[in-house]
Amino acid sequence: MADKPPPYRPRRRVPTAAVAASALIALAAWAGPGTQGASAGSHIDAPSAMLDPEINAGDLYAFTSPEAPDTATLIVTYQSLSLPVDGVLPPATFGTRTRYDLNIDSRGTGKPELTYRWTFRDEGQRQFLGVLNGQVDSLSSPNLKFKQRYTLEELRPGKPPKVLIRDAIAAPSRAGAAGMPDYEALRREATLPVPGGGQVYTGQAADPFFNDAREMEILKSGTELPLPFSPLQGTNVTVMALQVPKKVLALNGDPARNPVVGVWATAARETLNVQPGAADGARYAQVSRVGNVIVNEAFAPDNYLTPAAMLRGSPLGVFGGVADQFNTWDAAKDADNRQLIDMVTKLRGPKAFHAAHPGLPTPQANPRKDMFQLLMTGLSGKARCPVGEGAACPIREDLNSQVMNADADAGAFRPAEELRLNLSTPVSRTPRKGGFLDGDPQGFPNGRRLTDDPTHVLVRVAMGEPAVKEYAPLFRFTTSGPPTRPAPTFPYLAVPHGLF
């Protein structure tokens, strides 16, 4: 082992043409096919999802609302890499005959005790060109030729659905300064109060996701790209943002005794039910899933949608492979899902990266208990990691596992791939993108704020932190903040980018 790790330096003497080519290939690999948008982050997660942008999940965020700390905010994004439409390109849309769910697991079973469900219907005709008849100054303007309306329900096991919002108008895709001179006003109109406390915003926003693609590629394959690259500058997403009282989310309504919740988002498409005795002739099949960032994209063994793979001429993913299957998996069955467990514990990137940096400590051997703990149980000394030798988890800090909830049955706990949030962690005065690795307990993996860089955390843990510190100086890349400045109040996201 070297006494002191060398500072990180991108590889030098890369020919200008090769640098330009790698940037274009990286962008192509991140963007992928699709009409309105495709993918990056968790955005390039599976070949089939890329062909259905409306349900192609991008990112999930969960954090204590900074200006209303008795509430938590949950945000899920879809249609990543949507270009500004400005009334020229087709609008970014939500799927009809589709269920978009935000699932809350407060017992640690992989089953939701609470689900928030959005369903949409179209009003007017979807058109390729000319979505406006004139200037739009309100959501009810007759100049807006196409609208989408949504209903928001609260679902709890054994109880009838509770309608929170009925047939509200979602904020439309931004259509330029001439057609929508005050988009912020449209967003305020689309931000509605939720019965029982809180707010909801459904519509378009600037994509807040950021990272340096070099970190992403190291995590995936151990390959170093020759230049910094962040692919989401100037792109938009469709979002469902919800702010609710913490007592609504917490087990037994008590966030003090039961502070930890797990969150994941799913989308399900309506399909024909041909089973005998079907009541309504239709059923819904889960086609999309997102919890922690880039789990599917970075760790699925047959997902070749990476810049390095493109440079090597690999195919664009395997339809029907593990990457596609991941989007259909039930979180309640994650604990017995050997494919998923192997994905998150048998890493490829660290070994390859270490081979290029001899003299640094050898990364931990597979299977990786620390990654299993980070993604499948949450961090706690009480959590168990039944992979490899023994069952004890390596990170002993009590941070964000449902085993910490006083009223949860510890014997019923089941590992599941969820984004876990400790509702009792105070809001950080000085947020740090390295989260708990850099002494900020509110940061990822304890939920995810808009200013967190979870890829940065994942790559550092993959190389052995917090036990191994020698790799940390190598991962101080240049992309240091979101592509847009978050707003100080709900829904926090920046307004969509526009061309004009």
Side-chain angles (χ1 to χ4, degrees), residues 218-220 299 344 347-351 362-366 368 370-371 374 437 455-466 471 475:
I218 287 171
L219 185 63
K220 293 175 181 178
F299 302 129
V344 302
L347 306 186
R348 296 162 290 171
K351 182 177 180 180
T362 301
Q364 299 174 36
N366 292 330
R368 293 290 297 272
D370 51 353
M371 294 296 290
L374 189 77
L437 291 178
T455 307
H456 178 79
V457 176
L458 282 176
V459 72
R460 288 171 59 183
V461 173
M463 299 310 299
E465 285 195 65
Y471 279 95
F475 305 119

Side-chain angles (χ1 to χ4, degrees), residues 250-261:
L251 179 61
N252 296 336
D254 191 341
R257 284 180 56 83
N258 306 298
V260 179
V261 295

Side-chain angles (χ1 to χ4, degrees), residues 61-236:
Y61 303 85
F63 53 91
T64 292
S65 310
E67 87 290 6
D70 60 338
T71 71
T73 295
L74 313 175
I75 301 172
V76 60
T77 72
Y78 291 87
Q79 292 236 43
S80 306
L81 280 180
S82 293
L83 299 175
V85 300
D86 282 357
V88 179
L89 296 175
T93 54
F94 297 95
T96 58
R97 303 174 67 181
T98 303
R99 293 172 173 171
Y100 294 94
D101 290 352
L102 270 175
N103 304 289
I104 314 299
D105 173 14
S106 57
R107 296 184 183 273
T109 62
K111 299 178 181 179
E113 282 78 47
L114 168 63
T115 295
Y116 291 102
R117 173 170 292 166
W118 281 257
T119 53
F120 293 83
R121 71 174 181 87
D122 290 350
E123 186 174 288
Q125 296 296 316
R126 300 189 181 200
Q127 302 179 42
F128 186 80
L129 294 174
V131 296
L132 305 181
N133 281 325
Q135 194 173 88
V136 173
D137 56 9
S138 75
L139 298 181
S140 58
S141 171
N143 291 329
L144 190 59
K145 295 191 289 185
F146 172 76
K147 304 181 181 73
Q148 287 199 298
R149 292 184 178 270
Y150 72 94
T151 293
L152 173 63
E153 297 174 285
E154 177 186 296
L155 310 176
R156 293 184 182 270
K159 297 183 178 181
K162 179 181 179 182
V163 176
L164 301 176
I165 303 290
R166 187 185 298 277
D167 219 28
I169 301 175
S173 296
R174 182 174 176 178
M180 295 178 180
D182 190 353
Y183 192 89
E184 184 62 56
L186 298 179
R187 186 164 82 166
R188 287 194 298 270
E189 186 181 351
T191 301
L192 304 176
V194 173
Q199 311 175 73
V200 62
Y201 171 75
T202 305
Q204 195 182 45
D207 193 341
F209 179 84
F210 70 100
N211 81 328
D212 189 323
R214 290 177 295 176
E215 290 182 314
M216 185 82 73
E217 195 56 46
I218 287 171
L219 185 63
K220 293 175 181 178
S221 65
T223 303
E224 290 183 76
L225 296 177
L227 74 171
F229 178 66
S230 183
L232 300 176
Q233 306 293 328
T235 63
N236 297 323

Side-chain angles (χ1 to χ4, degrees), residues 42 57-60 76 78 263-266 288-292 326 417:
S42 282
D59 290 285
L60 178 65
V76 60
Y78 291 87
V263 187
W264 70 104
T266 55
S288 177
R289 173 181 174 180
V290 61
N292 289 288
F326 176 90
E417 197 279 290

